[in-house]
């Protein structure tokens, strides 16, 4: 069995999570994520204190490591540990969530890989389609544009299936927007009929701005994912995707921007989306999983939840 030991660095206990903290943990891919001020200098100082007190000791193959996180008052407590099964096996990292410990399983790794892979396919396909439109406009090869748009949509759809958002209504809302956008895209494709030289979904939208209403829900879903990633991880490129996507679509829909400005917006969007997808592979896997202890806690009955909270406060 796995040996495990927990040790706090100071006398300040981590408080029971508030409702806001729980909601953030369910939305964001961070174990033990909390709301409240963050003080980088204090975090570093306390982290060093944790290292000096608990250190990285090994007893019979046991490896302990503490990571400090801020609580609502800006104070810090250490709540993460590492254990080792045997001298010959790799470390098994166990995360201290809001309501108990959890670890990354093989299934979690596959889901995160598919989520990130789907975003990469989406970014690559949509970017190539955008560059083709910039080069040749609506007269671009229709089959090529539709193929790239379909590949990007399928990639993004896969990411929406694999994304770890424990607020089920929020996840279903994003997926519903995506499906509405796919249905609208199929309608645009069926109704284009080569009008004005446009033989593709994107070409038809380019020539007829009002058709943004049909494909817009798909990109609204992409905006939601960008916003989620930006809020949870502070990624600038994710925020850029969340801002540039609606700005680009609304600029084309309303006709308030000229062709040159739209081209600049499209290039900026391509750059932001590509950087966002590529940057996902630099993140630790556990960040995209979320705090699984929250998910397990929400499945319990109200009485069982109260018992978990009482046990947690006694630690």
């Amino acid at each position: 069995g796995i040996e495990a030991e927990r040790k706090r660095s100071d006398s300040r206990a981590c408080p029971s999570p508030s409702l806001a903290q729980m909601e953030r943990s369910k939305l964001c891919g961070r174990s033990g994520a909390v709301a409240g001020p963050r003080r980088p200098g204090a975090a570093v100082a306390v982290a060093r204190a944790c290292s000096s007190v608990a250190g990285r000791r090994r007893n019979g193959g046991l490896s302990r490591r503490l990571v400090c996180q801020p609580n609502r008052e800006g104070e810090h407590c250490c709540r993460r540990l590492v254990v080792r099964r045997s001298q010959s096996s790799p470390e098994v990292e166990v995360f201290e969530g809001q309501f108990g410990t959890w670890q990354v399983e093989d299934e979690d790794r596959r889901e995160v890989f598919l989520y990130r892979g789907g975003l990469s396919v989406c970014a690559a396909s949509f970017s190539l389609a955008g560059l083709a439109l910039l080069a040749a406009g609506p007269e671009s090869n229709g089959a090529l544009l539709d193929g790239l748009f379909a590949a990007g949509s399928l990639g993004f759809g896969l990411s929406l299936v694999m994304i770890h958002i424990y607020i089920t209504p929020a996840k279903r809302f994003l997926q519903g927007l995506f499906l509405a956008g796919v249905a609208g895209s199929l309608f645009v494709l069926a109704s284009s009929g080569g009008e004005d030289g446009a033989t593709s979904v994107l070409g038809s939208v380019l020539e007829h701005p009002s058709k943004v209403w049909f494909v817009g829900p798909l990109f609204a879903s992409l905006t939601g994912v960008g916003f989620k990633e930006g809020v949870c991880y502070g990624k600038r490129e994710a925020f850029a995707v969340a801002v540039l996507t609606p700005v680009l679509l609304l600029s084309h829909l309303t006709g308030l921007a000229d062709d040159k400005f739209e081209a600049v917006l499209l290039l900026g969007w391509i750059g932001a989306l590509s950087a966002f997808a590529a940057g996902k592979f630099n993140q630790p896997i556990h960040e995209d999983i979320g705090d699984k202890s929250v998910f397990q806690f929400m499945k319990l009955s109200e009485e069982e939840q109260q018992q978990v909270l009482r046990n947690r406060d006694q630690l």
Side-chain angles (χ1 to χ4, degrees):
I2 299 178
E3 291 186 84
E5 181 177 325
R6 185 189 323 167
K7 184 173 183 179
R8 299 187 186 277
S9 62
D10 59 18
S11 59
R12 290 177 302 219
C14 296
S16 297
S18 65
L19 179 60
Q21 292 172 330
M22 290 169 56
E23 293 303 314
R24 181 178 175 84
S25 295
K26 288 185 284 183
L27 175 65
C28 300
R30 285 184 179 177
S31 177
V34 295
R38 293 176 178 267
R39 298 181 297 179
V44 172
V46 179
R48 288 175 179 169
C50 289
S51 298
S52 63
V53 175
R56 291 193 183 187
R57 306 173 186 170
R58 298 182 183 276
N59 295 317
L62 174 63
S63 173
R64 310 173 203 166
R65 184 170 68 215
L66 295 178
V67 173
C68 300
Q69 299 174 339
N71 59 25
R72 296 178 64 186
E73 288 73 32
E75 300 175 340
H76 292 76
C77 54
C78 299
R79 302 188 55 206
R80 179 176 164 190
L81 56 97
V82 174
V83 298
R84 184 184 291 275
R85 293 179 184 273
S86 67
Q87 294 290 351
S88 59
S89 67
E91 287 185 341
V92 178
E93 198 165 19
V94 180
F95 299 92
E96 181 81 13
Q98 297 282 6
F99 304 103
T101 60
W102 62 275
Q103 64 189 66
V104 178
E105 308 289 348
D106 289 339
E107 182 179 359
D108 298 324
R109 294 186 180 91
R110 286 193 295 269
E111 290 179 355
V112 170
F113 176 78
L114 291 174
Y115 169 66
R116 296 176 178 181
L119 287 178
S120 296
V121 172
C122 171
S125 301
F126 283 175
S127 296
L128 290 174
L131 293 174
L133 285 175
L134 287 174
E139 297 181 358
S140 302
N141 185 291
L144 175 62
L145 284 179
D146 282 337
L148 290 172
F149 184 71
S153 299
L154 288 173
F156 183 58
L158 174 63
S159 295
L160 283 179
V161 172
M162 295 299 167
I163 192 171
H164 284 79
I165 297 178
Y166 296 134
I167 303 178
T168 302
K171 183 175 182 178
R172 295 290 180 262
F173 179 69
L174 292 177
Q175 293 172 341
L177 285 175
F178 169 77
L179 292 176
V182 169
S185 300
L186 292 175
F187 174 78
V188 171
L189 179 63
S191 62
S192 61
E195 55 190 27
D196 298 332
T199 59
S200 65
V201 173
L202 296 178
S204 184
V205 171
L206 183 62
E207 285 294 287
H208 303 276
S210 62
K211 292 187 177 180
V212 166
W213 290 109
F214 296 100
V215 302
L218 188 155
F219 292 96
S221 182
L222 179 59
T223 299
V225 172
F227 179 78
K228 177 259 183 188
E229 293 278 342
V231 168
C232 293
Y233 310 118
K235 286 179 170 289
R236 295 179 180 177
E237 59 272 24
F239 276 124
V241 170
V243 172
L244 289 176
T245 302
V247 170
L248 176 61
L249 293 178
L250 290 174
S251 296
H252 185 64
L253 175 65
T254 60
L256 295 178
D258 57 24
D259 292 343
K260 290 184 179 179
F261 186 69
E262 280 193 24
V264 172
L265 283 176
L266 179 56
L267 285 173
W269 181 78
I270 289 173
L273 183 61
S274 299
F276 166 51
K280 290 300 297 177
F281 289 95
N282 295 326
Q283 282 185 256
I285 291 178
H286 75 268
E287 288 193 356
D288 272 333
I289 295 172
D291 188 346
K292 291 199 296 185
S293 71
V294 174
F295 177 69
Q296 295 165 348
F297 177 82
M298 298 303 294
K299 293 170 62 177
L300 300 176
S301 65
E302 184 175 353
E303 181 178 349
E304 292 172 325
Q305 290 179 356
Q306 292 301 319
Q307 182 61 43
V308 169
L309 292 176
R310 286 193 293 269
N311 293 340
R312 185 183 186 281
D313 291 337
Q314 293 172 359
L315 292 177

